Amino acid sequence: MSDPIVSTEGLCKRFGEVKAVDDVTFSVERGQVYGLLGPNGAGKTTILRMLTGLERPTAGNLRLFGEPVTPSCAQLLRVGAMVEQAAFVPHLSGMLNLKLWWEAGGTSFADADLDNALAVAGLDSAIDRKVRTYSQGMKQRLGFARLLLSRPELLILDEPTNGLDPGEIREIRELIGRLTDDGATVLLSSHHLNEVEQVCTHALVINHGRLVADGTVSELIGSSGAVYVEVDDRDRAQAILAALPSVSDVQQQGDGLVVHMRDGRRSDLAAAITTAGLRLETLMPTQQLEDAFLDLLAAQEVAS
Amino acid sequence: MIALLRTEFVKAARRTRTLIIALALVGLPTLIVVAIKARGNRPDRGDRGEGLFRLASQSGLLVPGAVLSVMSGFLLVVIAGSIAGDSVASDASWGNLRYVLMRPVSRGRLLAAKASVAGVLIWAATILVAIAGLIAGIALFGVHPVNVPGLSLGGTGAGFQLSTGALVARTALGAAYVAFSFSALLAMGTFFSTLTDTATGAIGATIGVYIVSEILDSISQLGVVRYGFPTHYSDAWTTMFTANTFSHDMIAGVVVQAAYFVVFSAAALWWFRTKDIRS
Ligand SMILES: Nc1ncnc2c1ncn2[C@@H]1O[C@H](COP(=O)(O)OP(=O)(O)OP(=O)(O)O)[C@@H](O)[C@H]1O
Ligand SMILES: [Mg+2]
C-alpha cells in the first residue's frame, strides 16, 4: 500500500500552559476529502499550520506524502494550502501577486497553471486592480487561484468559506467538489457542519485539541443516535429489531420506526430485516452531522 | 535566490512609501542648497559646528558632503530604520508571509533576500541624497576646487586646498561610509522585524535604539563604553573635508558596524528559522 498523503502520530502543540493540539493521530489517504471539525479554539488552524511547516510540533510526527514535514519542505510543492484567510501584498495587483508568489519559488510563470487559476478566480478585469481594493470574497477566490497554480495533489484549506456570502459559499463548495472529482485529496477545516456533510467523505472531530472522532461522514452520523426505518410489516420489524443486541430502543413514528442504536452499524439493521423476509423500504439516519457532532462534544465534556 | 531577490525587491520598491521617501531624498537636499545660496557667502557668520556648510557655497562638489552630514544624523536614520524594520514585518502584517513560506521558500534565503533588498534601498537612499546634492550644488555653485581655511573650523593646522578630483573621490568615499554606517541598523532592524508582526513596532524599536545611542554617545562621562555604540563613529568621514585627514576612526567605525551586523544578522537568522509563523 502506498503512503498516506497526510499522516500524523501523537501530534502535540503547546503554547505555554495551553495544549492547543493534544496527541492527535490520523491519516488521509489519496482521494479522500477530510473535514476537520471543531468549535472555535479547538486547534484546527494549529494542526494545519504544523502540516504546512509554519509551526513546529511540540511532540509527535507529521508526514506529507510519506516524508517528515519540516519548515519549507519540498513536499509543499505538491500542496495547495490556505491557512486562515487568504492574504496578499495589498499594493500590488492580483495578477502581480500571483506572478511574484510563483516566481519566488524560482520557477517561470509560464509553467504555472494560470488559465485554470484565473478561471477559478473569476475576477476578470479586477485581476489587474490592487488587492487592497478587493472584497474578502475576491481575496478568497484569488487565494484559490494562487494555490491552484501548482496543480496540487493535496489541498489544505482552513475554513475556506469563512466570511463569504451565500452565493460565494456555494461557488467555493462547487469548486472544491470539482477539484475532488478530478482526484484531489483534501483536508479542510470548518465549523459549518453542513459544509463538511456536503463536501467531505471523511471527518475528524476535535475539541480542546483532542481527537474526538475519526471516520467516514456517514459513520459519524450513524455511529451514535437513531435510525429511521420503514418496512412492509411494522410490528414484526419492531419485535425483530428490539431483539438485536446493538439496539437499545425501538419506537413507532409515523409510518415507520425510530431505532436507537447502542453501537454497531446501520447495515446490521438492514440485514436483520431482510433475513426475516421483510421488505425494507427506507433506512436512514435521523441525525444530521450536526447532532452527531454535538453529541460527541457533549460526551467528551462529560468524560473530562 | 536571484528570483527571491527580484520578487522581494518588486514588493518593496512598488510601495507608495518608497516613492515618497525618494521624493523627500531628492527634495530636501535641493532645498538645503537653495537655502545656502540664499544666505549668501558670508564666511564671518557665526559657526556652530556647521563645518562643511560654511564651505559648501565655494563649490558644488562639496555640497553632497554637506548635505549628507546634516541628513545622516536623523532623517536618513529614520528612513533606514523604516526600511530595515519593515523588511520582514511588512509581509507578516499583510498576512502574506505564511504564503511565501508555503511556496516553499527556505526561511534563511527569504530572510537574506529581504535584508539584502533593505540594504540596497538604504544604500540607494544615501546615494540619492548625494546625487541630488551634487546636481543642485553644481547648478547653483558650479565646479571649483575648495580652499579650506586653517583655523576657521576649529582646527589648528594650516589651510589647504581640495582639488576637484579629490572632492569627487572623497565625496564618493564619504557617501559609501555613511551608507555602510547603517549596517548595524540594517541588521538590528531586520532582527526586530522578525520578532513582531507589526511593522511599526519594529521600525520604532530600530530608530529608538539609534536615537538612544546618539544621546548616550553625547554623554562623555560614559568614557570608552561609547566607542562601542553604533553611532559613535558616524561622522568620522567628515575630517576628509575639514582637516584633510583620513581619520583612523573610519576604520574603527567599519569594524564596529561589521561586528553589529554579524551579531544581529545571526540572531535574526536563528530566530526567523526557529519561530512559529503565525501571520
Ligand atoms: N500563538 C499562540 N499563543 C498562545 N495560544 C495560541 C496560539 N495560537 C493558538 N493558540 C491557542 O490554541 C488553541 C487553538 O487555536 P486554533 O487557532 O488552532 O483554533 P481553531 O480551531 O483554528 O479555532 P477557530 O475556529 O476560531 O479558527 C486556542 O485556544 C488558541 O487560543
Ligand atoms: Mg482557525
Side-chain angles (χ1 to χ4, degrees), chain B:
Chain B
M1 187 69 202
I2 303 279
L4 259 187
L5 282 170
R6 203 174 51 77
T7 55
E8 288 301 322
F9 183 79
V10 173
K11 276 155 70 176
R14 287 253 194 144
R15 301 184 68 172
T16 322
R17 196 193 65 179
T18 311
L19 184 68
I20 294 172
I21 289 177
L23 288 176
L25 291 178
V26 173
L28 219 67
T30 315
L31 273 180
I32 291 174
V33 175
V34 172
I36 300 174
K37 177 80 174 175
R39 195 184 69 166
N41 189 8
R42 280 173 282 170
D44 53 302
R45 193 87 169 239
D47 172 21
R48 289 185 16 258
E50 287 174 346
L52 292 174
F53 260 89
R54 292 200 36 217
L55 306 168
S57 57
Q58 283 189 36
S59 169
L61 295 181
L62 198 58
V63 169
V67 169
L68 277 176
S69 74
V70 272
M71 289 183 57
S72 62
F74 184 69
L75 195 72
L76 275 177
V77 169
V78 170
I79 286 170
S82 311
I83 292 169
D86 220 25
S87 54
V88 180
S90 58
D91 246 339
S93 65
W94 299 323
N96 191 49
L97 185 58
R98 59 178 180 272
Y99 292 106
V100 179
L101 291 174
M102 282 190 264
R103 175 60 184 102
V105 164
S106 122
R107 293 195 189 178
R109 285 189 192 185
L110 183 65
L111 184 74
K114 285 178 175 295
S116 307
V117 167
V120 165
L121 291 178
I122 290 172
W123 275 75
T126 310
I127 293 169
L128 194 60
V129 168
I131 290 176
L134 187 67
I135 292 172
I138 290 176
L140 291 182
F141 305 124
V143 175
H144 313 284
V146 170
N147 283 306
V148 184
L151 294 170
S152 67
L153 292 166
T156 49
F160 59 95
Q161 192 184 59
L162 287 168
S163 67
T164 53
L167 280 169
V168 170
R170 291 179 189 197
T171 297
L173 185 59
Y177 184 83
V178 168
F180 189 81
S181 298
F182 288 119
S183 302
L185 180 147
L186 169 64
M188 267 186 222
T190 307
F191 174 57
F192 292 149
S193 199
T194 62
L195 295 180
T196 170
D197 295 344
T198 37
T200 42
I203 293 170
T206 312
I207 297 171
V209 165
Y210 255 59
I211 291 176
V212 169
S213 165
E214 280 176 5
I215 292 171
L216 292 181
D217 194 32
S218 66
I219 303 173
S220 52
Q221 284 89 336
L222 288 177
V224 290
V225 176
R226 296 182 304 149
Y227 301 158
F229 290 161
T231 55
H232 185 72
Y233 297 107
S234 305
D235 293 330
W237 61 280
T238 53
T239 60
M240 288 191 297
F241 299 98
T242 57
N244 205 17
T245 57
F246 295 88
S247 165
H248 288 305
D249 283 358
M250 282 174 77
I251 293 164
V254 167
V255 171
V256 168
Q257 291 297 320
Y260 273 99
F261 184 81
V262 169
V263 169
F264 279 95
S265 299
L269 194 62
W270 173 77
W271 177 245
F272 191 60
R273 288 172 64 166
T274 337
K275 84 180 250 182
D276 283 345
I277 303 291
R278 228 164 267 126
S279 43

Side-chain angles (χ1 to χ4, degrees), chain A residues 15 18-21 38-47 49 55 84 158-159 189 191 206, chain B residues 278:
Chain A
F15 297 105
V18 181
K19 280 186 180 167
V21 175
N40 281 327
K44 304 182 293 294
T45 302
T46 307
I47 290 176
R49 282 213 187 98
E55 290 191 352
E84 296 188 311
D158 191 12
E159 302 191 27
S189 83
H191 36 218
I206 55 166
Chain B
R278 228 164 267 126

Side-chain angles (χ1 to χ4, degrees), chain A residues 35-192:
Chain A
L36 184 55
L37 268 173
N40 281 327
K44 304 182 293 294
T45 302
T46 307
I47 290 176
L48 301 186
R49 282 213 187 98
M50 289 191 284
L51 274 177
T52 46
L54 297 175
E55 290 191 352
R56 276 170 219 265
T58 314
N61 288 318
L62 196 57
R63 286 167 183 272
L64 287 176
F65 302 97
E67 296 293 319
V69 174
T70 52
S72 315
C73 55
Q75 309 95 286
L76 289 174
L77 283 171
R78 301 163 70 181
V79 178
M82 189 137 70
V83 175
E84 296 188 311
Q85 65 285 53
F88 299 89
V89 182
H91 58 272
L92 301 179
S93 72
M95 186 60 117
L96 193 52
N97 262 286
L98 294 183
K99 185 168 187 286
L100 293 182
W101 180 80
W102 180 263
E103 289 178 347
T107 33
S108 154
F109 201 36
D111 299 337
D113 191 9
L114 186 61
D115 293 339
N116 177 43
L118 291 182
V120 162
L123 289 167
D124 300 322
S125 64
I127 194 80
D128 294 317
R129 258 174 33 206
K130 287 183 179 176
V131 170
R132 185 183 285 135
T133 66
Y134 286 14
S135 70
Q136 188 55 42
M138 292 165 81
K139 283 187 204 161
Q140 207 73 0
R141 280 184 287 155
L142 187 63
F144 268 96
R146 174 168 62 187
L147 68 82
L148 292 175
L149 286 174
S150 62
R151 304 175 180 87
E153 296 163 59
L154 169 67
L155 302 181
I156 294 180
L157 306 170
D158 191 12
E159 302 191 27
T161 56
N162 202 14
L164 303 185
D165 69 30
E168 290 171 330
I169 290 177
R170 214 188 54 227
E171 273 175 38
I172 295 287
R173 287 187 190 159
E174 285 170 3
L175 169 63
I176 296 172
R178 281 204 302 280
L179 293 169
T180 55
D181 290 346
D182 292 348
T185 307
V186 180
L187 176 59
L188 75 86
S189 83
S190 181
H191 36 218
H192 300 299

Side-chain angles (χ1 to χ4, degrees), chain A residues 207-221:
Chain A
N207 191 25
H208 299 307
R210 299 192 67 95
L211 194 58
V212 183
D214 177 0
T216 65
V217 167
S218 48
E219 271 169 7
L220 286 180
I221 297 170

